[in-house]
Coordinates of all heavy atoms in Angstrom, one line a residue:
R1 N 78.5 103.0 66.1 CA 79.4 103.9 66.2 C 79.0 105.1 67.1 O 79.9 105.5 67.7 CB 79.7 104.5 64.7 CG 80.3 103.5 63.7 CD 80.5 104.1 62.3 NE 80.0 105.3 62.0 CZ 80.1 106.0 60.8 NH1 80.5 105.4 59.8 NH2 79.6 107.2 60.7
V2 N 77.8 105.4 67.3 CA 77.4 106.4 68.1 C 77.6 105.9 69.5 O 78.0 106.7 70.4 CB 75.9 106.9 67.8 CG1 75.4 107.8 68.9 CG2 75.8 107.5 66.4
E3 N 77.2 104.6 69.7 CA 77.4 104.2 71.0 C 78.8 104.1 71.4 O 79.0 104.5 72.6 CB 76.8 102.7 71.0 CG 76.7 102.1 72.5 CD 76.1 100.8 72.5 OE1 75.2 100.5 71.7 OE2 76.5 100.0 73.4
R4 N 79.8 103.9 70.6 CA 81.1 103.9 70.8 C 81.6 105.2 71.2 O 82.3 105.4 72.1 CB 81.9 103.3 69.6 CG 83.4 103.1 69.9 CD 84.1 102.4 68.8 NE 83.3 101.5 67.9 CZ 83.3 101.5 66.7 NH1 84.2 102.2 66.1 NH2 82.4 100.6 66.0
M5 N 81.0 106.3 70.5 CA 81.4 107.7 70.7 C 80.8 108.0 72.1 O 81.6 108.7 73.0 CB 80.7 108.6 69.7 CG 81.0 110.1 69.9 SD 79.9 111.1 69.0 CE 78.5 111.2 70.0
V6 N 79.6 107.7 72.5 CA 79.1 108.0 73.8 C 79.9 107.4 74.9 O 80.3 107.9 75.9 CB 77.6 107.6 73.8 CG1 77.0 107.7 75.3 CG2 76.8 108.4 73.0
N7 N 80.2 106.1 74.6 CA 81.0 105.4 75.8 C 82.4 106.2 75.9 O 82.9 106.1 76.9 CB 81.3 103.9 75.3 CG 80.0 103.1 75.5 OD1 79.1 103.4 76.2 ND2 79.9 102.0 74.7
G8 N 82.9 106.6 74.8 CA 84.2 107.2 74.9 C 84.1 108.6 75.7 O 85.0 108.9 76.5
I9 N 83.0 109.3 75.5 CA 82.8 110.5 76.2 C 82.6 110.2 77.7 O 83.2 110.8 78.6 CB 81.5 111.3 75.6 CG1 81.8 111.8 74.3 CG2 81.0 112.4 76.6 CD1 80.6 112.3 73.5
V10 N 81.8 109.1 78.1 CA 81.5 108.7 79.4 C 83.0 108.4 80.1 O 83.2 108.9 81.2 CB 80.7 107.5 79.5 CG1 80.5 106.9 80.9 CG2 79.3 108.0 79.1
R11 N 83.8 107.7 79.3 CA 85.1 107.2 80.0 C 86.0 108.5 80.2 O 86.6 108.5 81.1 CB 85.8 106.2 79.0 CG 85.4 104.8 79.2 CD 86.3 104.0 78.5 NE 86.4 104.2 77.1 CZ 85.7 103.7 76.0 NH1 84.7 103.1 76.2 NH2 86.0 104.2 74.8
Q12 N 85.9 109.4 79.2 CA 86.7 110.6 79.3 C 86.2 111.5 80.6 O 87.1 111.9 81.3 CB 86.5 111.5 78.1 CG 87.4 112.7 78.0 CD 87.3 113.4 76.7 OE1 86.7 113.0 75.9 NE2 87.9 114.6 76.5
L13 N 85.0 111.5 80.8 CA 84.3 112.3 81.9 C 84.7 111.6 83.2 O 85.2 112.1 84.2 CB 82.9 112.5 81.8 CG 82.4 113.3 80.7 CD1 80.9 113.3 80.5 CD2 82.8 114.8 80.9
E14 N 84.8 110.2 83.1 CA 85.1 109.5 84.4 C 86.5 109.7 84.7 O 86.9 109.8 85.9 CB 84.7 108.0 84.3 CG 83.2 107.7 84.3 CD 82.8 106.3 83.9 OE1 83.6 105.7 83.4 OE2 81.6 105.9 84.1
S15 N 87.3 109.7 83.7 CA 88.7 109.6 83.9 C 89.2 111.0 84.5 O 90.2 111.2 85.1 CB 89.6 109.3 82.7 OG 89.4 110.4 81.8
N16 N 88.4 112.1 84.3 CA 88.7 113.4 84.8 C 88.5 113.5 86.4 O 89.1 114.3 87.0 CB 87.7 114.5 84.2 CG 88.1 114.8 82.8 OD1 89.2 114.5 82.3 ND2 87.2 115.5 82.0
G17 N 87.7 112.6 86.9 CA 87.5 112.5 88.2 C 86.6 113.7 89.0 O 86.5 113.7 90.1
D18 N 86.1 114.3 88.1 CA 85.2 115.5 88.6 C 83.9 114.9 88.9 O 83.2 114.2 88.2 CB 85.0 116.6 87.6 CG 86.3 117.4 87.3 OD1 87.1 117.4 88.3 OD2 86.5 117.9 86.2
S19 N 83.3 115.3 90.0 CA 81.9 114.8 90.4 C 80.9 115.6 89.8 O 79.7 115.1 89.6 CB 81.8 114.8 92.0 OG 81.9 116.0 92.4
D20 N 81.1 116.8 89.4 CA 80.1 117.7 88.7 C 80.6 118.0 87.3 O 81.9 118.5 87.2 CB 80.0 119.1 89.5 CG 79.4 118.8 90.9 OD1 78.5 117.9 91.0 OD2 79.6 119.6 91.8
V21 N 79.8 117.8 86.5 CA 80.2 118.1 85.0 C 79.1 119.0 84.4 O 77.9 118.7 84.5 CB 80.3 116.8 84.1 CG1 80.7 117.2 82.7 CG2 81.2 115.9 84.8
T22 N 79.6 120.1 83.8 CA 78.6 121.1 83.2 C 78.0 120.5 82.0 O 78.7 119.9 81.2 CB 79.1 122.5 82.9 OG1 80.1 122.3 82.0 CG2 79.9 123.1 84.3
S23 N 76.8 120.9 81.7 CA 76.2 120.5 80.4 C 76.9 121.2 79.2 O 76.9 120.5 78.2 CB 74.7 120.9 80.4 OG 74.5 122.4 80.6
D24 N 77.6 122.3 79.4 CA 78.3 123.0 78.4 C 79.5 122.1 78.1 O 79.8 121.9 76.7 CB 78.9 124.3 78.8 CG 77.9 125.4 78.9 OD1 76.8 125.3 78.2 OD2 78.0 126.4 79.6
H25 N 80.2 121.5 79.0 CA 81.4 120.6 78.8 C 80.8 119.3 78.0 O 81.5 118.9 77.1 CB 82.0 120.2 80.1 CG 83.3 119.4 79.9 ND1 84.3 119.8 79.2 CD2 83.5 118.1 80.3 CE1 85.3 119.0 79.2 NE2 84.7 117.9 79.9
I26 N 79.7 118.8 78.5 CA 79.2 117.6 77.8 C 78.8 117.9 76.3 O 79.1 117.2 75.5 CB 78.0 117.1 78.5 CG1 78.4 116.4 79.8 CG2 77.2 115.9 77.7 CD1 77.2 116.1 80.8
G27 N 78.2 119.1 76.1 CA 77.8 119.5 74.8 C 79.0 119.7 73.9 O 79.0 119.2 72.8
E28 N 80.1 120.2 74.4 CA 81.3 120.4 73.5 C 81.9 119.0 73.1 O 82.4 118.8 72.1 CB 82.4 121.3 74.3 CG 82.0 122.7 74.4 CD 81.8 123.4 73.1 OE1 82.6 123.1 72.2 OE2 81.0 124.2 73.0
L29 N 82.0 118.1 74.1 CA 82.4 116.9 73.9 C 81.5 116.0 72.8 O 82.2 115.3 72.0 CB 82.4 116.0 75.2 CG 83.6 116.4 76.2 CD1 83.4 115.5 77.5 CD2 84.9 116.3 75.7
V30 N 80.3 116.2 72.9 CA 79.4 115.6 71.9 C 79.7 116.2 70.6 O 79.7 115.5 69.6 CB 77.8 115.7 72.4 CG1 76.9 115.3 71.2 CG2 77.6 115.0 73.6
M31 N 79.8 117.5 70.5 CA 80.0 118.1 69.2 C 81.4 117.7 68.6 O 81.5 117.3 67.4 CB 80.1 119.7 69.4 CG 78.8 120.2 69.5 SD 78.7 122.0 69.5 CE 79.7 122.5 68.2
E32 N 82.3 117.6 69.4 CA 83.6 117.0 69.0 C 83.6 115.5 68.4 O 84.1 115.1 67.3 CB 84.8 116.9 70.1 CG 85.3 118.2 70.5 CD 86.2 118.2 71.6 OE1 86.7 117.1 71.9 OE2 86.5 119.2 72.3
G33 N 82.8 114.8 69.1 CA 82.6 113.4 68.7 C 81.7 113.2 67.4 O 82.1 112.5 66.5
L34 N 80.7 114.1 67.4 CA 80.0 114.1 66.1 C 80.7 114.6 64.9 O 80.6 114.1 63.7 CB 78.6 114.9 66.4 CG 77.5 114.2 67.1 CD1 76.5 115.2 67.3 CD2 77.1 112.9 66.6
K35 N 81.4 115.6 65.1 CA 82.4 116.1 64.0 C 83.1 115.0 63.4 O 83.4 115.0 62.2 CB 83.2 117.3 64.6 CG 84.0 118.1 63.6 CD 84.6 119.4 64.2 CE 85.2 120.2 63.2 NZ 85.9 121.3 63.8
A36 N 83.8 114.2 64.2 CA 84.7 113.1 63.8 C 83.8 112.0 63.1 O 84.2 111.3 62.3 CB 85.5 112.6 64.9
L37 N 82.6 111.9 63.5 CA 81.7 110.7 63.1 C 80.9 111.0 62.0 O 80.8 110.3 61.0 CB 80.8 110.4 64.4 CG 80.0 109.1 64.3 CD1 80.9 107.9 64.2 CD2 79.1 109.0 65.4
D38 N 80.1 112.1 61.9 CA 79.3 112.4 60.8 C 79.0 113.9 60.8 O 78.4 114.5 61.7 CB 77.9 111.7 61.2 CG 76.8 111.8 60.2 OD1 76.6 112.9 59.6 OD2 76.1 110.8 60.0
G39 N 79.4 114.4 59.6 CA 79.3 116.0 59.5 C 77.9 116.4 59.5 O 77.6 117.5 60.1
V40 N 76.9 115.7 59.0 CA 75.6 116.2 58.9 C 75.0 116.2 60.3 O 74.3 117.1 60.9 CB 74.7 115.3 58.1 CG1 73.2 115.7 58.1 CG2 75.2 115.5 56.5
A41 N 75.3 115.1 61.1 CA 74.8 115.1 62.6 C 75.5 116.2 63.3 O 74.9 116.8 64.2 CB 75.1 113.7 63.2
Y42 N 76.7 116.5 63.1 CA 77.4 117.5 63.8 C 76.7 118.8 63.5 O 76.5 119.6 64.5 CB 78.9 117.6 63.3 CG 79.7 118.8 63.6 CD1 80.1 118.9 64.9 CD2 80.0 119.8 62.8 CE1 80.6 120.1 65.5 CE2 80.7 120.9 63.1 CZ 81.2 121.1 64.4 OH 81.8 122.2 64.9
V43 N 76.4 119.1 62.2 CA 75.8 120.5 61.9 C 74.4 120.6 62.5 O 74.0 121.5 63.0 CB 75.7 120.6 60.4 CG1 74.8 121.8 60.1 CG2 77.2 120.8 59.8
R44 N 73.7 119.4 62.6 CA 72.3 119.5 63.1 C 72.3 119.7 64.6 O 71.6 120.5 65.1 CB 71.6 118.2 62.7 CG 71.4 118.1 61.2 CD 70.6 116.8 60.9 NE 69.2 116.8 61.4 CZ 68.4 115.7 61.3 NH1 68.9 114.6 60.8 NH2 67.3 115.9 61.8
F45 N 73.3 119.0 65.4 CA 73.4 119.1 66.8 C 73.9 120.6 67.0 O 73.3 121.2 67.9 CB 74.3 118.1 67.3 CG 74.5 118.2 68.8 CD1 73.6 117.6 69.6 CD2 75.6 118.9 69.4 CE1 73.7 117.6 71.1 CE2 75.7 119.0 70.8 CZ 74.8 118.3 71.5
A46 N 74.9 121.0 66.3 CA 75.5 122.3 66.6 C 74.4 123.4 66.3 O 74.3 124.5 67.1 CB 76.7 122.6 65.6
S47 N 73.6 123.3 65.4 CA 72.5 124.3 65.1 C 71.6 124.5 66.2 O 71.1 125.6 66.7 CB 71.8 123.9 63.8 OG 71.0 122.9 64.0
V48 N 71.2 123.5 67.0 CA 70.5 123.5 68.1 C 71.2 123.9 69.3 O 70.9 124.8 70.1 CB 69.6 122.1 68.3 CG1 69.0 122.2 69.7 CG2 68.9 121.8 67.2
Y49 N 72.5 123.2 69.5 CA 73.2 123.5 70.7 C 73.6 124.9 70.8 O 73.6 125.6 71.9 CB 74.4 122.5 70.8 CG 75.3 122.8 71.9 CD1 74.9 122.4 73.1 CD2 76.6 123.3 71.6 CE1 75.9 122.5 74.2 CE2 77.4 123.5 72.8 CZ 77.1 123.1 73.9 OH 77.9 123.3 75.0
K50 N 74.0 125.4 69.6 CA 74.5 126.8 69.6 C 73.4 127.9 69.2 O 73.7 129.1 69.1 CB 75.7 126.9 68.6 CG 76.9 126.2 69.1 CD 78.1 126.5 68.1 CE 79.3 125.8 68.7 NZ 80.6 126.4 68.2
N51 N 72.2 127.3 69.0 CA 71.0 128.2 69.0 C 71.2 129.1 67.6 O 71.0 130.3 67.8 CB 70.7 129.0 70.2 CG 69.3 129.4 70.1 OD1 68.5 129.0 69.5 ND2 69.3 130.6 70.9
F52 N 71.4 128.6 66.5 CA 71.5 129.3 65.2 C 70.4 130.1 65.0 O 69.2 129.4 65.1 CB 71.9 128.4 64.1 CG 73.3 127.8 64.1 CD1 74.3 128.1 65.1 CD2 73.7 126.9 63.1 CE1 75.4 127.6 65.1 CE2 75.0 126.5 63.0 CZ 75.8 126.7 64.0
R53 N 70.5 131.3 64.5 CA 69.3 132.0 64.2 C 69.3 132.5 62.8 O 68.3 132.9 62.2 CB 69.3 133.3 65.2 CG 69.2 133.0 66.7 CD 68.6 134.2 67.5 NE 68.6 133.9 68.8 CZ 67.6 133.2 69.4 NH1 66.5 132.9 68.7 NH2 67.6 133.0 70.7
E54 N 70.4 132.5 62.1 CA 70.5 133.0 60.7 C 71.2 131.9 59.9 O 72.0 131.1 60.4 CB 71.3 134.4 60.7 CG 70.6 135.4 61.5 CD 71.5 136.8 61.4 OE1 72.3 136.8 60.5 OE2 71.2 137.6 62.3
A55 N 71.0 132.0 58.6 CA 71.6 131.2 57.6 C 73.2 131.2 57.8 O 73.8 130.2 57.5 CB 71.1 131.4 56.2
K56 N 73.5 132.4 58.0 CA 75.1 132.7 57.9 C 75.7 131.9 59.0 O 76.9 131.4 58.8 CB 75.5 134.1 58.0 CG 75.2 134.7 59.4 CD 75.7 136.2 59.5 CE 75.5 136.7 60.9 NZ 76.5 137.5 61.4
D57 N 75.0 131.5 60.1 CA 75.6 130.7 61.2 C 75.7 129.3 60.8 O 76.9 128.6 61.0 CB 74.5 130.6 62.5 CG 74.3 132.0 63.0 OD1 75.2 132.8 63.0 OD2 73.2 132.1 63.6
F58 N 74.9 128.8 59.9 CA 75.1 127.5 59.3 C 76.3 127.5 58.3 O 77.1 126.6 58.2 CB 73.9 127.1 58.5 CG 72.8 126.5 59.3 CD1 71.8 127.4 59.7 CD2 72.8 125.2 59.7 CE1 70.7 127.0 60.5 CE2 71.7 124.7 60.5 CZ 70.7 125.5 61.0
G59 N 76.4 128.5 57.5 CA 77.4 128.7 56.4 C 78.8 128.7 57.2 O 79.7 128.1 56.8
E60 N 78.9 129.5 58.2 CA 80.2 129.6 59.0 C 80.6 128.2 59.5 O 81.8 127.8 59.4 CB 80.1 130.5 60.1 CG 80.0 132.0 59.7 CD 79.7 133.0 60.7 OE1 79.6 132.6 61.9 OE2 79.6 134.2 60.3
L61 N 79.7 127.5 60.0 CA 79.9 126.2 60.6 C 80.4 125.1 59.5 O 81.3 124.4 59.6 CB 78.8 125.6 61.4 CG 79.0 124.3 62.2 CD1 80.0 124.6 63.3 CD2 77.8 123.7 62.6
I62 N 79.6 125.2 58.5 CA 79.9 124.3 57.3 C 81.3 124.8 56.7 O 82.1 123.7 56.3 CB 78.9 124.4 56.2 CG1 77.5 123.7 56.8 CG2 79.3 123.7 55.0 CD1 76.3 123.9 56.0
D63 N 81.7 125.9 56.6 CA 83.0 126.3 56.1 C 84.1 125.8 57.1 O 85.1 125.2 56.6 CB 83.1 127.9 56.0 CG 82.2 128.4 54.9 OD1 81.8 127.7 54.0 OD2 82.0 129.8 54.9
E64 N 83.8 125.9 58.3 CA 84.8 125.4 59.4 C 84.9 123.9 59.2 O 86.0 123.3 59.2 CB 84.4 125.7 60.7 CG 85.1 125.1 61.8 CD 84.5 125.2 63.3 OE1 83.9 126.3 63.4 OE2 84.5 124.2 63.9
L65 N 83.8 123.2 59.0 CA 83.9 121.8 58.8 C 84.6 121.4 57.5 O 85.4 120.5 57.5 CB 82.4 121.2 58.8 CG 82.2 119.7 58.7 CD1 82.8 119.0 59.9 CD2 80.8 119.4 58.7
S66 N 84.2 122.1 56.4 CA 85.0 121.8 55.1 C 86.5 122.0 55.3 O 87.3 121.3 54.7 CB 84.4 122.7 54.1 OG 83.0 122.5 53.9
A67 N 86.9 123.0 56.0 CA 88.3 123.5 56.0 C 89.0 122.3 56.9 O 90.2 121.9 56.5 CB 88.5 124.8 56.8
D68 N 88.2 121.7 58.0 CA 88.8 120.7 58.6 C 89.1 119.4 57.9 O 89.9 118.6 58.1 CB 88.0 120.4 59.9 CG 88.1 121.5 61.0 OD1 89.2 122.4 60.9 OD2 87.3 121.5 61.9
E69 N 88.1 119.2 57.0 CA 88.2 117.9 56.1 C 89.1 118.1 54.9 O 89.5 117.0 54.4 CB 86.8 117.6 55.7 CG 85.9 117.2 56.8 CD 84.4 116.8 56.3 OE1 84.2 117.0 55.2 OE2 83.6 116.4 57.1
T70 N 89.5 119.2 54.7 CA 90.4 119.3 53.4 C 91.7 119.0 53.8 O 92.3 119.7 54.6 CB 90.2 120.8 52.9 OG1 88.8 121.1 52.6 CG2 91.2 121.1 51.5
P71 N 92.3 117.9 53.2 CA 93.7 117.6 53.5 C 94.7 118.6 53.0 O 94.5 119.2 51.9 CB 93.9 116.2 52.8 CG 92.8 116.2 51.8 CD 91.8 117.1 52.2
E72 N 95.7 118.8 53.6 CA 96.7 119.7 53.3 C 97.5 119.0 52.1 O 97.8 117.8 52.3 CB 97.7 120.1 54.4 CG 97.0 120.9 55.5 CD 98.0 121.4 56.5 OE1 99.2 121.4 56.2 OE2 97.5 121.6 57.6
R73 N 97.7 119.6 51.1 CA 98.5 119.1 49.9 C 99.8 119.7 49.7 O 99.9 120.9 50.0 CB 97.5 119.2 48.6 CG 96.3 118.6 48.8 CD 95.6 118.6 47.4 NE 94.3 117.8 47.4 CZ 93.2 118.3 47.2 NH1 93.1 119.6 46.6 NH2 92.1 117.5 47.2
D74 N 100.7 118.8 49.4 CA 102.0 119.4 49.0 C 101.9 120.0 47.6 O 101.1 119.6 46.8 CB 103.0 118.2 49.0 CG 103.3 117.5 50.4 OD1 103.1 118.1 51.3 OD2 103.5 116.4 50.3
P75 N 102.7 121.1 47.5 CA 102.6 121.7 46.2 C 103.2 120.7 45.1 O 103.9 119.8 45.3 CB 103.7 122.9 46.3 CG 104.5 122.6 47.5 CD 103.6 121.7 48.4
P76 N 102.8 120.8 44.0 CA 103.0 120.0 42.8 C 104.5 120.0 42.6 O 105.2 120.9 42.7 CB 102.3 120.4 41.6 CG 101.7 121.8 41.9 CD 101.8 121.9 43.4
R77 N 105.1 118.8 42.3 CA 106.6 118.6 42.2 C 106.9 118.9 40.6 O 106.1 118.4 39.7 CB 107.0 117.3 42.5 CG 106.9 117.1 43.9 CD 107.5 115.8 44.4 NE 107.2 115.5 45.8 CZ 107.6 114.4 46.4 NH1 108.3 113.5 45.8 NH2 107.4 114.3 47.8
R78 N 107.9 119.6 40.5 CA 108.3 119.9 39.0 C 109.2 118.8 38.7 O 110.2 118.4 39.4 CB 108.9 121.2 38.9 CG 108.0 122.4 39.2 CD 108.7 123.6 38.8 NE 107.7 124.7 39.0 CZ 107.8 125.9 38.3 NH1 108.8 126.1 37.6 NH2 106.8 126.7 38.4
T79 N 109.1 118.2 37.5 CA 110.0 117.2 37.0 C 110.7 117.8 35.9 O 110.3 118.6 35.1 CB 109.2 116.1 36.4 OG1 108.3 116.5 35.5 CG2 108.5 115.3 37.6
P80 N 112.0 117.4 35.8 CA 112.8 118.0 34.7 C 112.2 117.7 33.3 O 111.7 116.6 33.1 CB 114.1 117.4 34.8 CG 114.1 116.6 36.0 CD 112.8 116.5 36.5
A81 N 112.2 118.7 32.4 CA 111.7 118.5 31.1 C 112.5 117.4 30.4 O 113.8 117.6 30.4 CB 111.5 119.8 30.3
S82 N 111.9 116.5 29.7 CA 112.8 115.6 28.8 C 113.0 116.2 27.5 O 112.2 116.9 26.9 CB 112.0 114.3 28.7 OG 110.7 114.5 28.3
S83 N 114.1 115.9 27.0 CA 114.5 116.5 25.5 C 114.2 115.6 24.5 O 114.0 114.5 24.5 CB 116.1 116.6 25.5 OG 116.8 116.5 26.7

């Protein structure tokens, strides 16, 4: 799965046609890929990539990840009461 993610990133970069690609752009693409692939790997990579210094940095990222994973739910439907 990781190899497939990396191949996808390479194809995306090649399709852009840019001869120069910044490490920041590659880092963002890797973070997007890991976020979709494995939440723990995403948090670990992000903590180094974004140079986390405090526990709250982890908390904010985990909250963001949790919010993205929470499916939107329709409100409960009311059924007519039976007599």
Side-chain angles (χ1 to χ4, degrees):
R1 294 178 355 182
V2 172
E3 187 174 334
R4 194 174 327 137
M5 179 195 78
V6 171
N7 289 337
I9 291 170
V10 169
R11 280 192 306 274
Q12 186 175 356
L13 292 170
E14 289 173 343
S15 70
N16 286 344
D18 295 331
S19 59
D20 293 326
V21 180
T22 65
S23 59
D24 288 339
H25 185 61
I26 294 170
E28 291 298 323
L29 292 174
V30 169
M31 283 185 46
E32 287 175 22
L34 287 174
K35 189 175 186 180
L37 187 66
D38 182 324
V40 173
Y42 169 71
V43 170
R44 293 178 73 185
F45 182 84
S47 69
V48 174
Y49 179 70
K50 294 188 173 198
N51 198 23
F52 287 0
R53 298 202 182 274
E54 299 180 18
K56 72 176 182 145
D57 297 331
F58 284 94
E60 291 169 0
L61 186 72
I62 291 170
D63 289 346
E64 173 190 319
L65 185 60
S66 296
D68 288 347
E69 290 179 352
T70 304
E72 291 184 26
R73 295 192 177 125
D74 293 330
R77 296 181 184 183
R78 293 185 175 209
T79 56
S82 53
S83 346

